[in-house]
Amino acid sequence: MELMLSLAIGVLTGSGIWLLLRPRTFQVIMGLSLLSYAVNLFMFSMGRLSIDREPVLVAGVPLNLLHYDDPIPQALVLTAIVIGFAMTALFLVVMMASRGLSGTDHVDGAESGE
Amino acid sequence: MSDFLSMLSRPLHPLSAHWVVAPILLPLFTGAMMLLMREERRRIKAAINIGSTFLGLLLSVALLLWVDDQGTVGSIGIYLPGNWQAPYGIVLAVDRLSAMMLVLASTVALGSVVFAAARWHRAGVHYHPLFQFQLMGLCGAFLTADLFNLFVFFEILLAASYGLLLHGSGRLRVKAGLHYIAINLGASSLFLIGVSMLYGVTGTLNMADLAQKIPLVADADRGLLHASAAILAVAFLAKAAIWPLNFWLVPAYSTATAPVGALFAIMSKVGIYTILRLWTLLFSAEAGASAAFGGHWLVAGGLATLAFGAIGMLGSQKLGNLAGFAVIVSSGTLLAAIGFGQTGLTAGALYYLLSSTLAASALFMLVDLVERWRNAGASIAPHELSDDAPFLSATLEYEAGMNLDDEEEILIGKAIPAATAFLGLGFMCCTLLLTGLPPLSGFVGKFAILSALLNPLGLGVAGGSAPGLAGWTLLVMLITSGLLGLIAMSRAGIRHFWAAHDRGVPQLRLAEGLPVAGLLLACMLLTVQAGSVMRYVQATADSLHTPASYIEAVMGAQPRLSPAAAAAPKATP
């Protein structure tokens, strides 16, 4: 599981950064999205990976962290997802405004050849 | 005066803990209320905005006076919003540094909002609510005592700043805004990675708790800890505009409308504030093997930033860029001075922070007035006129009342005959302040840094260690950057003021001259009151470098029992 998760995070981060450095705004926003997925997965993994642990208190299970999942990373991820979603929406609006004003989807607002 | 000040802080005492949250709630409610009002009611909104910002300033001054209670070592106000004890719940804390930053932010904001109310708030929609949310993010970032809330307040601050940056629209702003947002989203990702790694290593996000846990981290995990701190630092350093990460700053700040640029003068200082706070707290002398981790990187980065800013100032053709590079110079100076980790230097840097932020803010507004005069009354630079504003749909077209030209001049204000003199004098003051020439506060700040470099033990005490290579480099670069800044500013001054024979008298409104004059007066007040301000920043630096009292205050804060629970005998959980 560790290998799977780290591979997934690695691939997402790598593709995200690659796309982020591309010259078109659509690629940039896709890159930012992939990067934020990678970050969210990474945050999950920082709460230690575990199988078969309860996320909330259950009757009959001893009250210590050996038997429960760490709730804090989940709270962090939830917040980060909400904020990331809002920021992506905002970025999309700015992107469209830029496209409308400059007539091109190049991040510099002008084709490099001109 | 002092009677009035003590009167201001006295009512805070009984309810002190609750006042800590007020600087966040005030802009939140004001902003939310203004969202409910129709966009046409700009005059009322402007009045509410100014009133609320002024109230916020009074509140922060009161908090500052309360925190700086001279009888005690330094009272620290703690507020537990969820009524949970420190490492588990959210904690807000106000100490000398937070209070100082709050006052600075409110001062700059007050100047900016008065300036905007004269004309700029009409250039687009929702200026006033965004402004208040920006203030809320700023105050929250200064007050929060745990890392994840810092992230949340950073995002509030950034979201509002995106809106403000695009205020007025136009091709240049959207282009600069696109880069600004993309870079900040990237930096936010780094922030999250750093925060979660730090959590993975230490199991806590409370700053004070982190400071206690860091000496306990196992040697095998120390590399991971340092990596997480470094990643976190990169996120803050991008905000603080350190050299390789600051290419977004000048286009963004100089294309933003003038009051927004003036408000943004405080934004890079948020990055500086968090670095200062976290670095002194997490990697203090008590941090064992991690003590002062990365200090030399701060110094090196600061010096590179200083050099870049100074060269940039020299190369600026536009006045707006000049102001943007002045912000970079001030960031570089601060980072380099803080990186030494000496109390004297930190104190000098804090004084310099106050002075340079106020001066940069004043310069952004002054630049707008000068440029408008140069463009014969046009409020929008000619290169921006050709573009359509994309956010103005049919219902939000430029109406008669939104006319930003001179025709409305008579209704709102009148030309002051001494306007040219005012602009010239203001520009001269900004030059003196930003280059650190006597007699204004820029000089006092730089002098404090230089004297702390040469005499770490204080003036007149022999036997301090020599500055060392980094120290000498900083000394030489501080003086050189001042010289380069002076050359750049006097060149700009000559071009804009002496070569102005056929341009007529500038049209200056009282509401636009007032904030510039006010910020410059605040700098003069800093100079006149240099003794007491230096005492305050020295006390701030002392408590920053011995964080035990901060940790104790945060960790020791007890939740309040409800009246019923307090009356009942102690129940077992």
Side-chain angles (χ1 to χ4, degrees):
Chain A
M1 183 168 62
E2 285 83 358
L3 190 66
M4 276 299 291
L5 190 72
S6 42
L7 271 177
I9 295 174
V11 168
L12 278 175
T13 313
S15 340
I17 291 175
W18 162 255
L19 284 173
L20 197 58
L21 299 174
R22 303 293 299 157
R24 305 280 155 200
T25 47
F26 182 69
Q27 291 163 321
V28 170
I29 201 166
M30 289 311 288
L32 281 170
S33 305
L34 290 187
L35 204 56
S36 72
Y37 298 148
V39 170
N40 291 341
L41 282 178
F42 181 78
M43 265 196 274
F44 262 128
S45 68
M46 278 297 128
R48 303 292 184 272
L49 300 174
S50 58
I51 295 176
D52 281 352
R53 284 200 199 157
E54 302 291 342
V56 285
L57 301 180
V58 178
V61 180
L63 282 171
N64 62 41
L65 272 181
L66 281 178
H67 304 274
Y68 293 98
D69 220 19
D70 189 349
I72 294 206
Q74 301 174 21
L76 301 190
V77 169
L78 195 61
T79 317
I81 288 174
V82 173
I83 291 177
F85 189 65
M87 293 300 168
T88 310
L90 188 110
F91 190 57
L92 203 61
V93 173
V94 177
M95 215 176 88
M96 282 159 63
S98 167
R99 173 74 177 78
L101 282 173
S102 62
T104 159
D105 64 345
H106 197 281
V107 283
D108 282 339
E111 294 297 330
S112 44
E114 285 170 49
Chain B
M1 179 75 180
S2 63
D3 282 348
F4 170 72
L5 291 179
S6 67
M7 207 174 71
L8 201 62
S9 73
R10 200 173 301 137
L12 287 184
H13 284 284
L15 283 171
S16 50
H18 293 284
W19 284 107
V20 176
V21 76
I24 301 175
L25 291 184
L26 178 71
L28 171 66
F29 283 128
T30 315
M33 192 173 71
M34 284 194 291
L35 273 183
L36 301 177
M37 294 164 73
R38 288 167 62 84
E39 186 57 34
E40 289 83 54
R41 318 186 76 170
R42 274 205 196 84
R43 228 166 254 258
I44 302 174
K45 280 187 172 182
I48 294 175
N49 203 352
I50 293 174
S52 168
T53 314
F54 185 66
L55 205 60
L57 177 63
L58 286 185
L59 208 63
S60 356
V61 171
L63 276 177
L64 181 132
L65 290 172
W66 177 64
V67 163
D68 190 41
D69 204 347
Q70 285 186 49
T72 62
V73 184
S75 40
I76 294 172
I78 306 286
Y79 185 69
L80 306 172
N83 212 18
W84 278 72
Q85 217 189 333
Y88 306 111
I90 295 171
V91 190
L92 301 177
V94 56
D95 67 341
R96 284 203 175 93
L97 180 62
S98 313
M100 189 184 100
M101 296 304 289
L102 280 179
V103 171
L104 183 63
S106 318
T107 312
V108 168
L110 188 62
S112 158
V113 72
V114 172
F115 191 88
R119 69 160 78 200
W120 273 115
H121 68 143
R122 280 176 293 163
V125 295
H126 295 310
Y127 178 84
H128 296 293
L130 281 173
F131 187 91
Q132 286 295 323
F133 292 135
Q134 167 98 66
L135 261 186
M136 177 198 165
L138 282 169
C139 293
F142 294 141
L143 284 176
T144 183
D146 88 80
L147 272 180
F148 202 74
N149 280 297
L150 186 66
F151 170 73
V152 174
F153 280 120
F154 253 73
E155 292 300 315
I156 295 175
L157 174 160
L158 287 172
S161 82
Y162 302 151
L164 284 177
L165 178 60
L166 296 169
H167 179 76
S169 196
R171 180 172 170 173
L172 281 176
R173 276 188 202 122
V174 171
K175 186 182 144 191
L178 191 78
H179 299 169
Y180 175 77
I181 297 175
I183 284 165
N184 276 305
L185 288 180
S188 296
S189 294
L190 286 179
F191 193 156
L192 281 175
I193 293 175
V195 164
S196 48
M197 263 174 96
L198 211 52
Y199 180 79
V201 176
T202 61
T204 179
L205 287 174
N206 185 291
M207 294 181 198
D209 199 22
L210 270 172
Q212 286 184 326
K213 292 275 166 62
I214 278 177
L216 310 175
V217 170
D219 278 344
D221 287 343
R222 204 159 282 279
L224 213 54
L225 172 77
H226 288 175
S228 65
I231 292 173
L232 207 55
V234 170
F236 297 134
L237 287 172
K239 299 267 182 313
I242 201 175
W243 166 59
L245 307 171
N246 62 8
F247 295 103
W248 53 271
L249 187 139
V250 173
Y253 282 29
S254 63
T255 49
T257 55
V260 175
L263 181 64
F264 279 9
I266 189 86
M267 294 267 287
S268 55
K269 304 300 185 290
V270 183
I272 305 269
Y273 162 82
T274 30
I275 285 168
L276 185 59
R277 164 76 75 212
L278 286 174
W279 190 63
T280 53
L281 203 51
L282 304 192
F283 300 114
S284 64
E286 282 93 58
S290 301
F293 164 72
H296 54 281
W297 283 104
L298 285 184
V299 175
L303 290 176
T305 314
L306 190 54
F308 176 77
I311 295 170
M313 272 182 101
L314 206 56
S316 302
Q317 298 293 318
K318 275 171 59 186
L319 274 179
N321 290 353
L322 199 63
F325 280 112
V327 170
I328 291 181
V329 166
S330 119
S331 271
T333 310
L334 286 169
L335 281 173
I338 287 167
F340 282 89
Q342 297 170 6
T343 50
L345 263 177
T346 310
L350 287 174
Y351 185 94
Y352 177 81
L353 186 152
L354 291 172
S355 153
S356 67
T357 310
L358 292 171
S361 181
L363 184 59
F364 271 110
M365 295 193 265
L366 202 65
V367 161
D368 185 52
L369 298 177
V370 173
E371 296 254 311
R372 199 184 301 160
W373 174 36
R374 197 175 153 86
N375 295 324
S379 60
I380 300 170
H383 52 79
E384 288 178 55
L385 281 176
S386 54
D387 289 307
D388 296 322
F391 299 118
L392 298 174
S393 59
T395 52
L396 285 171
E397 274 174 0
Y398 281 112
E399 359 150 345
M402 265 174 90
N403 186 4
L404 295 172
D405 281 334
D406 281 327
E407 276 107 82
E408 266 197 316
E409 213 78 41
I410 308 137
L411 290 173
I412 292 169
K414 56 180 178 149
I416 300 168
T420 321
F422 172 78
L423 287 184
L425 268 179
F427 192 79
M428 224 160 79
C429 282
C430 284
T431 309
L432 294 181
L433 283 166
L434 289 170
T435 55
L437 288 179
L440 293 179
S441 53
F443 172 72
V444 182
K446 271 200 180 171
F447 183 79
I449 294 178
L450 292 181
S451 88
L453 264 178
L454 292 172
N455 304 295
L457 299 177
L459 273 184
V461 183
S465 55
L469 180 63
W472 283 116
T473 319
L474 176 60
L475 193 132
V476 169
M477 283 182 59
L478 262 185
I479 295 171
T480 318
S481 76
L483 176 67
L484 294 186
L486 184 65
I487 294 172
M489 300 275 290
S490 33
R491 195 185 55 183
I494 288 169
R495 189 184 303 156
H496 285 88
F497 293 99
W498 283 358
H501 41 85
D502 54 348
R503 221 181 285 156
V505 180
Q507 301 282 308
L508 193 65
R509 291 172 189 178
L510 192 61
E512 290 183 319
L514 206 61
V516 179
L519 289 179
L520 293 177
L521 271 180
C523 286
M524 287 174 198
L525 199 67
L526 270 186
T527 322
V528 175
Q529 292 292 322
S532 49
V533 177
M534 275 313 287
R535 184 199 59 73
Y536 183 86
V537 291
Q538 188 62 52
T540 311
D542 286 342
S543 58
L544 275 177
H545 287 283
T546 45
S549 61
Y550 180 86
I551 297 171
E552 205 175 300
V554 171
M555 299 306 288
Q558 291 299 324
R560 302 201 169 196
L561 296 172
S562 69
K570 247 188 186 161
T572 45

